[in-house]
Amino acid sequence: MNRTQNCAECEFMKKYNYGKKIYYCDHVDRIDDMGKLSVNELPKRSPEWCPLRK
């Protein structure tokens, strides 16, 4: 089962604001080491590497 997770509703989504809003995933099981989601806007869908998609 492959469900689409909305990052805006996820408890692991965090944001830095250093002139630009930088969104990242803080989940310990993420495959992507940086966990960067996007800059200035959240993506409409979670990335392929999101641990909560499966």
Side-chain angles (χ1 to χ4, degrees):
M1 181 168 86
N2 188 9
R3 61 190 183 120
T4 301
Q5 175 75 24
N6 184 346
C7 291
E9 299 169 357
C10 183
E11 64 183 294
F12 298 107
M13 188 279 297
K14 304 292 181 200
K15 174 178 73 169
Y16 284 118
N17 193 352
Y18 293 115
K20 295 181 180 180
K21 296 176 189 168
I22 300 172
Y23 297 96
Y24 72 98
C25 177
D26 198 30
H27 196 284
V28 295
D29 292 332
R30 69 180 184 265
I31 297 169
D32 182 273
D33 288 335
M34 295 277 297
K36 186 174 179 181
L37 298 170
S38 66
V39 176
N40 285 331
E41 282 188 30
L42 272 172
K44 302 228 187 290
R45 296 175 34 158
S46 62
E48 292 294 321
W49 50 261
C50 176
L52 301 179
R53 285 188 84 165
K54 297 194 169 53

